[in-house]
Amino acid sequence: MNNSLAFNHDTLPQKVMFGYGKSSAFLKQEVERRGSAKVMVIAGEREMSIAHKVASEIEVAIWHDEVVMHVPIEVAERARAVATDNEIDLLVCVGGGSTIGLAKAIAMTTALPIVAIPTTYAGSEATNVWGLTEAARKTTGVDLKVLPETVIYDSELTMSLPVEMSVASGLNGLAHCIDSLWGPNADPINAALAAEGIRALNQGLPKIVANPHSIEGRDEALYGAYLAAVSFASAGSGLHHKICHTLGGTFNLPHAQTHATVLPYVLAFNAGDAPEAERRAAAAFGTDTALEGLQRLRLAVNAPKRLSDYGFEASGIAEAVDVTLEKVPANNPRPVTRENLSRLLEAALNGEDPAVLSAVLSN
């Protein structure tokens, strides 16, 4: 038998600039290198003051602040019109996943280049994945046009992110790592990136909780979030993201908190049928099992515990199952049925012990 290693791996073309307090200088370098004359800066109202600081050394043609979670199609269309009407030649987005998602929506139809400057650990900046919501349904896809050409990481910009949101956002990043271990295009390279992402986030998030102004903790979390996103962009969207996109797009649940809450349940659901992925994740956490490592981290950072805290109700489970079942990847380690997916969502709704869920599902 031939036991040689064989796989196909896609590496996305992207420049990464990383340094505390260097975002303004980095952005100036990028604008000058490109010769951009009409820059559109996108930032939500809460991030606009950060955006003004970051863009203080460049000329800005348009400041755009209509940013909405899950990127409703009508919001995207208005932003596209602004970019087109003002003959914009560079998009600069400063913020989290919703802000970067809006820039991607513009780039999808205009092919404008993006410089992304994240202020959270969502990871959208390092992927070619877009998402739009229309009529209470979130649709995602892959298009190289939406991949930011340059990403600028500056942990100084994350210092004002509240600890609670930092935790949820960081666990969202960790979800990219876990999903990458069994995504549709999982391979040894993105698995290695995911494992290092787990290690970095596992180290960084507790430091942020202990000291919200820890440069070391913030740097580790940004580094881990980047690795998580790169691995996810290559491996593709797994079961966890299909569930969370349904909960966000159909029920308007908050993005980061939903990912943070659902993650241990999907890990418990799949781990028994993906032993190699489980062992790799456990080793990255430094624990006997991956679930033990994740739960230890969640306890240390006081992670979100139940979907009911964010407005999800038992009456929504049936619809969530219907929508999710249409999107489940064919290669998911454990076969997904209406019954076991309903049970998973019920457990996440009520904050049950994921280990108990794993035992139930294996019977």
Side-chain angles (χ1 to χ4, degrees), residues 155-194:
S155 60
E156 183 180 27
L157 308 183
T158 69
M159 291 295 174
S160 61
L161 188 66
V163 168
E164 183 178 340
M165 190 60 198
S166 297
V167 167
S169 184
L171 290 172
N172 179 16
L174 198 62
H176 289 128
C177 296
I178 298 298
D179 242 8
S180 296
L181 295 176
W182 46 55
N185 302 308
D187 65 46
I189 295 177
N190 49 50
L193 294 170

mmCIF file of all heavy atoms in Angstrom, residues 155-194:
data_model
loop_
_atom_site.group_PDB
_atom_site.id
_atom_site.type_symbol
_atom_site.label_atom_id
_atom_site.label_comp_id
_atom_site.label_asym_id
_atom_site.label_seq_id
_atom_site.Cartn_x
_atom_site.Cartn_y
_atom_site.Cartn_z
ATOM 1 N N SER A 155 -2.125 46.011 17.197
ATOM 2 C CA SER A 155 -2.868 45.660 18.409
ATOM 3 C C SER A 155 -3.250 46.880 19.231
ATOM 4 O O SER A 155 -4.136 46.798 20.092
ATOM 5 C CB SER A 155 -2.062 44.682 19.264
ATOM 6 O OG SER A 155 -0.815 45.247 19.650
ATOM 7 N N GLU A 156 -2.631 48.016 18.977
ATOM 8 C CA GLU A 156 -3.035 49.247 19.674
ATOM 9 C C GLU A 156 -4.503 49.571 19.384
ATOM 10 O O GLU A 156 -5.217 50.103 20.243
ATOM 11 C CB GLU A 156 -2.149 50.417 19.247
ATOM 12 C CG GLU A 156 -2.467 51.709 19.986
ATOM 13 C CD GLU A 156 -1.584 52.862 19.560
ATOM 14 O OE1 GLU A 156 -1.107 52.862 18.402
ATOM 15 O OE2 GLU A 156 -1.375 53.774 20.379
ATOM 16 N N LEU A 157 -4.956 49.227 18.186
ATOM 17 C CA LEU A 157 -6.330 49.520 17.785
ATOM 18 C C LEU A 157 -7.345 48.625 18.474
ATOM 19 O O LEU A 157 -8.547 48.898 18.426
ATOM 20 C CB LEU A 157 -6.475 49.392 16.269
ATOM 21 C CG LEU A 157 -5.481 50.174 15.405
ATOM 22 C CD1 LEU A 157 -5.804 50.002 13.929
ATOM 23 C CD2 LEU A 157 -5.477 51.660 15.794
ATOM 24 N N THR A 158 -6.886 47.538 19.090
ATOM 25 C CA THR A 158 -7.804 46.631 19.776
ATOM 26 C C THR A 158 -7.898 46.911 21.272
ATOM 27 O O THR A 158 -8.683 46.271 21.970
ATOM 28 C CB THR A 158 -7.366 45.163 19.583
ATOM 29 O OG1 THR A 158 -6.141 44.919 20.300
ATOM 30 C CG2 THR A 158 -7.167 44.833 18.117
ATOM 31 N N MET A 159 -7.121 47.843 21.762
ATOM 32 C CA MET A 159 -7.087 48.098 23.204
ATOM 33 C C MET A 159 -8.432 48.564 23.751
ATOM 34 O O MET A 159 -8.764 48.320 24.912
ATOM 35 C CB MET A 159 -6.004 49.136 23.529
ATOM 36 C CG MET A 159 -4.587 48.645 23.319
ATOM 37 S SD MET A 159 -4.152 47.301 24.445
ATOM 38 C CE MET A 159 -2.529 46.862 23.824
ATOM 39 N N SER A 160 -9.202 49.246 22.920
ATOM 40 C CA SER A 160 -10.503 49.754 23.380
ATOM 41 C C SER A 160 -11.615 48.721 23.234
ATOM 42 O O SER A 160 -12.750 48.975 23.665
ATOM 43 C CB SER A 160 -10.885 51.020 22.600
ATOM 44 O OG SER A 160 -11.004 50.746 21.220
ATOM 45 N N LEU A 161 -11.311 47.576 22.626
ATOM 46 C CA LEU A 161 -12.330 46.528 22.491
ATOM 47 C C LEU A 161 -12.606 45.940 23.872
ATOM 48 O O LEU A 161 -11.697 45.400 24.513
ATOM 49 C CB LEU A 161 -11.830 45.436 21.541
ATOM 50 C CG LEU A 161 -12.837 44.359 21.122
ATOM 51 C CD1 LEU A 161 -13.952 44.965 20.271
ATOM 52 C CD2 LEU A 161 -12.132 43.234 20.349
ATOM 53 N N PRO A 162 -13.848 46.036 24.378
ATOM 54 C CA PRO A 162 -14.143 45.542 25.720
ATOM 55 C C PRO A 162 -13.759 44.075 25.882
ATOM 56 O O PRO A 162 -13.785 43.297 24.924
ATOM 57 C CB PRO A 162 -15.666 45.728 25.837
ATOM 58 C CG PRO A 162 -15.986 46.818 24.856
ATOM 59 C CD PRO A 162 -15.028 46.616 23.712
ATOM 60 N N VAL A 163 -13.417 43.702 27.096
ATOM 61 C CA VAL A 163 -12.965 42.337 27.357
ATOM 62 C C VAL A 163 -14.006 41.311 26.913
ATOM 63 O O VAL A 163 -13.672 40.304 26.279
ATOM 64 C CB VAL A 163 -12.635 42.153 28.859
ATOM 65 C CG1 VAL A 163 -12.449 40.671 29.189
ATOM 66 C CG2 VAL A 163 -11.383 42.934 29.221
ATOM 67 N N GLU A 164 -15.264 41.548 27.234
ATOM 68 C CA GLU A 164 -16.324 40.604 26.866
ATOM 69 C C GLU A 164 -16.383 40.397 25.358
ATOM 70 O O GLU A 164 -16.509 39.268 24.874
ATOM 71 C CB GLU A 164 -17.675 41.116 27.382
ATOM 72 C CG GLU A 164 -18.834 40.169 27.113
ATOM 73 C CD GLU A 164 -20.146 40.683 27.675
ATOM 74 O OE1 GLU A 164 -20.119 41.549 28.579
ATOM 75 O OE2 GLU A 164 -21.211 40.226 27.206
ATOM 76 N N MET A 165 -16.268 41.484 24.601
ATOM 77 C CA MET A 165 -16.290 41.374 23.146
ATOM 78 C C MET A 165 -14.998 40.775 22.624
ATOM 79 O O MET A 165 -15.006 40.041 21.627
ATOM 80 C CB MET A 165 -16.532 42.754 22.535
ATOM 81 C CG MET A 165 -16.800 42.707 21.041
ATOM 82 S SD MET A 165 -18.272 41.713 20.662
ATOM 83 C CE MET A 165 -18.017 41.381 18.933
ATOM 84 N N SER A 166 -13.887 41.067 23.270
ATOM 85 C CA SER A 166 -12.608 40.470 22.880
ATOM 86 C C SER A 166 -12.662 38.958 22.998
ATOM 87 O O SER A 166 -12.174 38.232 22.127
ATOM 88 C CB SER A 166 -11.475 41.015 23.755
ATOM 89 O OG SER A 166 -11.303 42.403 23.592
ATOM 90 N N VAL A 167 -13.267 38.491 24.077
ATOM 91 C CA VAL A 167 -13.402 37.046 24.302
ATOM 92 C C VAL A 167 -14.269 36.411 23.214
ATOM 93 O O VAL A 167 -13.896 35.403 22.599
ATOM 94 C CB VAL A 167 -13.992 36.770 25.699
ATOM 95 C CG1 VAL A 167 -14.435 35.305 25.822
ATOM 96 C CG2 VAL A 167 -12.965 37.110 26.764
ATOM 97 N N ALA A 168 -15.443 37.006 22.975
ATOM 98 C CA ALA A 168 -16.338 36.450 21.959
ATOM 99 C C ALA A 168 -15.688 36.463 20.583
ATOM 100 O O ALA A 168 -15.759 35.484 19.827
ATOM 101 C CB ALA A 168 -17.648 37.237 21.935
ATOM 102 N N SER A 169 -15.023 37.562 20.243
ATOM 103 C CA SER A 169 -14.371 37.677 18.954
ATOM 104 C C SER A 169 -13.215 36.691 18.824
ATOM 105 O O SER A 169 -13.007 36.063 17.776
ATOM 106 C CB SER A 169 -13.872 39.109 18.751
ATOM 107 O OG SER A 169 -13.306 39.272 17.472
ATOM 108 N N GLY A 170 -12.448 36.533 19.896
ATOM 109 C CA GLY A 170 -11.343 35.585 19.881
ATOM 110 C C GLY A 170 -11.811 34.147 19.737
ATOM 111 O O GLY A 170 -11.179 33.334 19.039
ATOM 112 N N LEU A 171 -12.915 33.819 20.367
ATOM 113 C CA LEU A 171 -13.470 32.466 20.229
ATOM 114 C C LEU A 171 -14.067 32.269 18.837
ATOM 115 O O LEU A 171 -14.090 31.140 18.321
ATOM 116 C CB LEU A 171 -14.518 32.211 21.316
ATOM 117 C CG LEU A 171 -13.938 32.070 22.722
ATOM 118 C CD1 LEU A 171 -15.054 32.006 23.764
ATOM 119 C CD2 LEU A 171 -13.059 30.827 22.828
ATOM 120 N N ASN A 172 -14.538 33.339 18.225
ATOM 121 C CA ASN A 172 -14.941 33.277 16.822
ATOM 122 C C ASN A 172 -13.734 32.884 15.971
ATOM 123 O O ASN A 172 -13.822 32.034 15.075
ATOM 124 C CB ASN A 172 -15.499 34.640 16.399
ATOM 125 C CG ASN A 172 -15.928 34.692 14.945
ATOM 126 O OD1 ASN A 172 -16.106 33.678 14.291
ATOM 127 N ND2 ASN A 172 -16.087 35.903 14.436
ATOM 128 N N GLY A 173 -12.581 33.498 16.261
ATOM 129 C CA GLY A 173 -11.359 33.122 15.575
ATOM 130 C C GLY A 173 -11.002 31.661 15.813
ATOM 131 O O GLY A 173 -10.598 30.937 14.894
ATOM 132 N N LEU A 174 -11.163 31.225 17.048
ATOM 133 C CA LEU A 174 -10.876 29.833 17.377
ATOM 134 C C LEU A 174 -11.795 28.878 16.609
ATOM 135 O O LEU A 174 -11.384 27.773 16.220
ATOM 136 C CB LEU A 174 -11.049 29.620 18.887
ATOM 137 C CG LEU A 174 -10.405 28.371 19.488
ATOM 138 C CD1 LEU A 174 -8.899 28.398 19.311
ATOM 139 C CD2 LEU A 174 -10.750 28.285 20.970
ATOM 140 N N ALA A 175 -13.009 29.312 16.369
ATOM 141 C CA ALA A 175 -13.946 28.502 15.573
ATOM 142 C C ALA A 175 -13.429 28.296 14.160
ATOM 143 O O ALA A 175 -13.641 27.234 13.556
ATOM 144 C CB ALA A 175 -15.323 29.163 15.555
ATOM 145 N N HIS A 176 -12.734 29.301 13.609
ATOM 146 C CA HIS A 176 -12.125 29.125 12.293
ATOM 147 C C HIS A 176 -11.101 27.992 12.334
ATOM 148 O O HIS A 176 -11.002 27.188 11.407
ATOM 149 C CB HIS A 176 -11.433 30.419 11.843
ATOM 150 C CG HIS A 176 -12.376 31.516 11.473
ATOM 151 N ND1 HIS A 176 -12.289 32.777 11.990
ATOM 152 C CD2 HIS A 176 -13.428 31.537 10.624
ATOM 153 C CE1 HIS A 176 -13.236 33.544 11.477
ATOM 154 N NE2 HIS A 176 -13.948 32.813 10.655
ATOM 155 N N CYS A 177 -10.337 27.953 13.413
ATOM 156 C CA CYS A 177 -9.322 26.897 13.561
ATOM 157 C C CYS A 177 -9.967 25.516 13.608
ATOM 158 O O CYS A 177 -9.545 24.592 12.889
ATOM 159 C CB CYS A 177 -8.522 27.112 14.834
ATOM 160 S SG CYS A 177 -7.536 28.617 14.896
ATOM 161 N N ILE A 178 -10.972 25.367 14.466
ATOM 162 C CA ILE A 178 -11.610 24.062 14.641
ATOM 163 C C ILE A 178 -12.280 23.617 13.342
ATOM 164 O O ILE A 178 -12.120 22.475 12.906
ATOM 165 C CB ILE A 178 -12.635 24.121 15.785
ATOM 166 C CG1 ILE A 178 -11.941 24.465 17.116
ATOM 167 C CG2 ILE A 178 -13.374 22.791 15.894
ATOM 168 C CD1 ILE A 178 -10.911 23.469 17.578
ATOM 169 N N ASP A 179 -13.026 24.511 12.706
ATOM 170 C CA ASP A 179 -13.691 24.153 11.454
ATOM 171 C C ASP A 179 -12.685 23.789 10.360
ATOM 172 O O ASP A 179 -12.971 22.962 9.492
ATOM 173 C CB ASP A 179 -14.581 25.309 10.974
ATOM 174 C CG ASP A 179 -16.061 24.921 10.913
ATOM 175 O OD1 ASP A 179 -16.404 23.825 11.390
ATOM 176 O OD2 ASP A 179 -16.864 25.708 10.389
ATOM 177 N N SER A 180 -11.504 24.408 10.405
ATOM 178 C CA SER A 180 -10.486 24.136 9.385
ATOM 179 C C SER A 180 -9.939 22.717 9.472
ATOM 180 O O SER A 180 -9.404 22.203 8.488
ATOM 181 C CB SER A 180 -9.330 25.129 9.529
ATOM 182 O OG SER A 180 -9.753 26.445 9.274
ATOM 183 N N LEU A 181 -10.066 22.095 10.621
ATOM 184 C CA LEU A 181 -9.525 20.747 10.800
ATOM 185 C C LEU A 181 -10.376 19.691 10.093
ATOM 186 O O LEU A 181 -9.904 18.575 9.851
ATOM 187 C CB LEU A 181 -9.407 20.422 12.289
ATOM 188 C CG LEU A 181 -8.401 21.280 13.059
ATOM 189 C CD1 LEU A 181 -8.442 20.946 14.542
ATOM 190 C CD2 LEU A 181 -6.987 21.079 12.514
ATOM 191 N N TRP A 182 -11.635 20.041 9.758
ATOM 192 C CA TRP A 182 -12.484 19.079 9.039
ATOM 193 C C TRP A 182 -13.328 19.761 7.968
ATOM 194 O O TRP A 182 -14.368 19.265 7.566
ATOM 195 C CB TRP A 182 -13.377 18.301 9.987
ATOM 196 C CG TRP A 182 -14.073 19.134 11.031
ATOM 197 C CD1 TRP A 182 -14.883 20.224 10.852
ATOM 198 C CD2 TRP A 182 -14.002 18.931 12.451
ATOM 199 N NE1 TRP A 182 -15.332 20.707 12.052
ATOM 200 C CE2 TRP A 182 -14.804 19.928 13.056
ATOM 201 C CE3 TRP A 182 -13.360 17.994 13.269
ATOM 202 C CZ2 TRP A 182 -14.955 20.017 14.432
ATOM 203 C CZ3 TRP A 182 -13.519 18.089 14.640
ATOM 204 C CH2 TRP A 182 -14.309 19.090 15.206
ATOM 205 N N GLY A 183 -12.875 20.910 7.495
ATOM 206 C CA GLY A 183 -13.585 21.608 6.429
ATOM 207 C C GLY A 183 -13.540 20.832 5.123
ATOM 208 O O GLY A 183 -12.815 19.836 4.983
ATOM 209 N N PRO A 184 -14.297 21.264 4.128
ATOM 210 C CA PRO A 184 -14.391 20.543 2.849
ATOM 211 C C PRO A 184 -13.048 20.325 2.163
ATOM 212 O O PRO A 184 -12.856 19.332 1.469
ATOM 213 C CB PRO A 184 -15.305 21.444 2.009
ATOM 214 C CG PRO A 184 -16.115 22.197 3.012
ATOM 215 C CD PRO A 184 -15.214 22.421 4.184
ATOM 216 N N ASN A 185 -12.101 21.279 2.362
ATOM 217 C CA ASN A 185 -10.797 21.169 1.701
ATOM 218 C C ASN A 185 -9.661 21.070 2.713
ATOM 219 O O ASN A 185 -8.545 21.534 2.460
ATOM 220 C CB ASN A 185 -10.574 22.372 0.783
ATOM 221 C CG ASN A 185 -11.654 22.503 -0.269
ATOM 222 O OD1 ASN A 185 -11.950 21.544 -0.977
ATOM 223 N ND2 ASN A 185 -12.264 23.673 -0.359
ATOM 224 N N ALA A 186 -9.931 20.459 3.853
ATOM 225 C CA ALA A 186 -8.917 20.331 4.903
ATOM 226 C C ALA A 186 -7.686 19.605 4.370
ATOM 227 O O ALA A 186 -7.793 18.622 3.641
ATOM 228 C CB ALA A 186 -9.501 19.589 6.100
ATOM 229 N N ASP A 187 -6.504 20.117 4.735
ATOM 230 C CA ASP A 187 -5.265 19.472 4.328
ATOM 231 C C ASP A 187 -4.208 19.707 5.409
ATOM 232 O O ASP A 187 -4.438 20.465 6.358
ATOM 233 C CB ASP A 187 -4.801 19.977 2.958
ATOM 234 C CG ASP A 187 -4.411 21.452 2.939
ATOM 235 O OD1 ASP A 187 -3.683 21.898 3.847
ATOM 236 O OD2 ASP A 187 -4.818 22.172 2.012
ATOM 237 N N PRO A 188 -3.042 19.078 5.320
ATOM 238 C CA PRO A 188 -2.035 19.199 6.385
ATOM 239 C C PRO A 188 -1.514 20.614 6.608
ATOM 240 O O PRO A 188 -1.125 20.960 7.723
ATOM 241 C CB PRO A 188 -0.914 18.268 5.904
ATOM 242 C CG PRO A 188 -1.572 17.292 5.014
ATOM 243 C CD PRO A 188 -2.657 18.054 4.329
ATOM 244 N N ILE A 189 -1.496 21.437 5.560
ATOM 245 C CA ILE A 189 -0.976 22.792 5.720
ATOM 246 C C ILE A 189 -1.939 23.655 6.521
ATOM 247 O O ILE A 189 -1.548 24.308 7.498
ATOM 248 C CB ILE A 189 -0.682 23.423 4.347
ATOM 249 C CG1 ILE A 189 0.451 22.656 3.660
ATOM 250 C CG2 ILE A 189 -0.309 24.902 4.505
ATOM 251 C CD1 ILE A 189 0.773 23.150 2.277
ATOM 252 N N ASN A 190 -3.211 23.654 6.139
ATOM 253 C CA ASN A 190 -4.128 24.483 6.929
ATOM 254 C C ASN A 190 -4.369 23.890 8.314
ATOM 255 O O ASN A 190 -4.691 24.616 9.252
ATOM 256 C CB ASN A 190 -5.433 24.799 6.181
ATOM 257 C CG ASN A 190 -6.105 23.614 5.571
ATOM 258 O OD1 ASN A 190 -6.312 22.606 6.245
ATOM 259 N ND2 ASN A 190 -6.473 23.703 4.286
ATOM 260 N N ALA A 191 -4.171 22.586 8.465
ATOM 261 C CA ALA A 191 -4.266 21.997 9.806
ATOM 262 C C ALA A 191 -3.139 22.497 10.703
ATOM 263 O O ALA A 191 -3.347 22.773 11.893
ATOM 264 C CB ALA A 191 -4.236 20.471 9.709
ATOM 265 N N ALA A 192 -1.941 22.624 10.126
ATOM 266 C CA ALA A 192 -0.814 23.142 10.902
ATOM 267 C C ALA A 192 -1.047 24.602 11.291
ATOM 268 O O ALA A 192 -0.771 25.012 12.431
ATOM 269 C CB ALA A 192 0.473 23.010 10.090
ATOM 270 N N LEU A 193 -1.570 25.392 10.360
ATOM 271 C CA LEU A 193 -1.892 26.782 10.657
ATOM 272 C C LEU A 193 -2.967 26.877 11.732
ATOM 273 O O LEU A 193 -2.882 27.707 12.653
ATOM 274 C CB LEU A 193 -2.365 27.493 9.384
ATOM 275 C CG LEU A 193 -1.335 27.669 8.271
ATOM 276 C CD1 LEU A 193 -2.015 28.174 6.994
ATOM 277 C CD2 LEU A 193 -0.249 28.645 8.700
ATOM 278 N N ALA A 194 -3.974 26.023 11.633
ATOM 279 C CA ALA A 194 -5.064 26.030 12.613
ATOM 280 C C ALA A 194 -4.547 25.675 14.003
ATOM 281 O O ALA A 194 -4.954 26.284 15.001
ATOM 282 C CB ALA A 194 -6.150 25.051 12.177
#
